[in-house]
Structure formats: C-alpha cells, structure tokens
Amino acid sequence: MRWSTTVALASALGVAACNQPASTQSAPPPAPAAPAAARSSEAEHANLPFVGRVWRKTTRGSPLGSIVVFLPDRTLLMGSCVETYRLSEWGMAGDHIRWLEDSPIPIEAEVSMPSKDQLLLKIVGQDEVESYAPAPVPYVCPEMR
C-alpha cells in the first residue's frame, strides 16, 4: 500500500471508531489502586526534613538562582534564573535520592543534612558536593551581569 492510502485508511478507521454509540464503546479499565507499600512510602517521603521546602543552590559556579523543591508527591522541581524549570520524579533508596533528567539512567546522590537549614547532595560518581540553603521569602532572581 502506498503511504497516502495507509494514512487515509487509518484516519477512516479512527473516525469510524469515534462515531460508535456510547453503549458499544468500552470504558477504560479502572486504574489499579496504589499498593499499600507505595502509599506508606509516599508518607515516609513527605516526612523527610528536606521535602516541601525551596532549596537555593549555594555551590560556587552554579547558575544564578538555581533551586530544587522535593515535593511530597515525589515530584522534583528544578530551575534557575537562566534555565527553564524541569519536573522530574524522585525517590529514596536508603540515604540516596534518585531522579531522572535527560537520559533514561537515573541520577543518584547521597543526601545529608548537617543542620535543618543545610542540604548536601553528593552525586554518585562525582567528587563535588552540591550545597543548598532554604530560599528566603520573598526571593527574586538576581540581575544578570
């Protein structure tokens, strides 16, 4: 079959399927309930001292205004004054945290908090330790030079 014929046939089948009476269309299966282990894990994540706070990166040489926010629903918000924001999923494995960025290989870091207002992330395989402090409120990105 030629490409245009294949596309036309696929489009016609799609339109025909959409025009079926509601009684003949099958409803999508209900979403499975989250296992008890996943629910308790989310509750444990929510109780970690760095979760739910906006952390400003204090490591020398990092982009201006770099922030991370570990949300209780396991969403990680990352951004800076010079880069757009990113949303990723994060999780814990012992004293390590993991998240995905641009590759399918997760980034893993050892987490430590020497004080309630200092967060340190040591990325596995790197020598540098990233340091963070709570972002003051209000906070505005610094002017670019």
Side-chain angles (χ1 to χ4, degrees):
M1 243 193 252
R2 290 184 20 197
W3 170 253
S4 60
T5 306
T6 305
V7 171
L9 181 58
S11 297
L13 289 173
V15 169
C18 290
N19 289 332
Q20 291 180 355
S23 61
T24 62
Q25 291 182 352
S26 61
R39 285 192 299 269
S40 66
S41 176
E42 283 186 24
E44 290 171 12
H45 284 116
N47 292 327
L48 295 168
F50 60 87
V51 172
R53 297 179 76 182
V54 179
W55 294 95
R56 185 177 52 86
K57 194 171 191 178
T58 56
T59 308
R60 288 190 67 137
S62 59
L64 287 174
S66 294
I67 61 167
V68 295
V69 184
F70 298 93
L71 297 171
D73 70 354
R74 296 181 46 200
T75 300
L76 170 60
L77 167 66
M78 299 183 298
S80 76
C81 298
V82 295
E83 299 172 329
T84 188
Y85 68 87
R86 170 191 305 274
L87 297 175
S88 300
E89 188 175 359
W90 70 275
M92 292 293 297
D95 64 348
H96 284 81
I97 191 165
R98 297 175 131 190
W99 68 91
L100 290 174
E101 285 190 15
D102 295 327
S103 74
I105 300 168
I107 295 172
E108 188 169 325
E110 182 180 336
V111 177
S112 62
M113 291 189 70
S115 72
K116 69 179 185 78
D117 290 332
Q118 186 178 17
L119 173 65
L120 302 176
L121 299 178
K122 183 175 185 316
I123 306 293
V124 172
Q126 295 181 6
D127 293 332
E128 181 181 340
V129 175
E130 296 179 356
S131 60
Y132 296 86
V137 176
Y139 179 79
V140 177
C141 282
E143 287 190 32
M144 302 299 168
R145 296 179 188 165

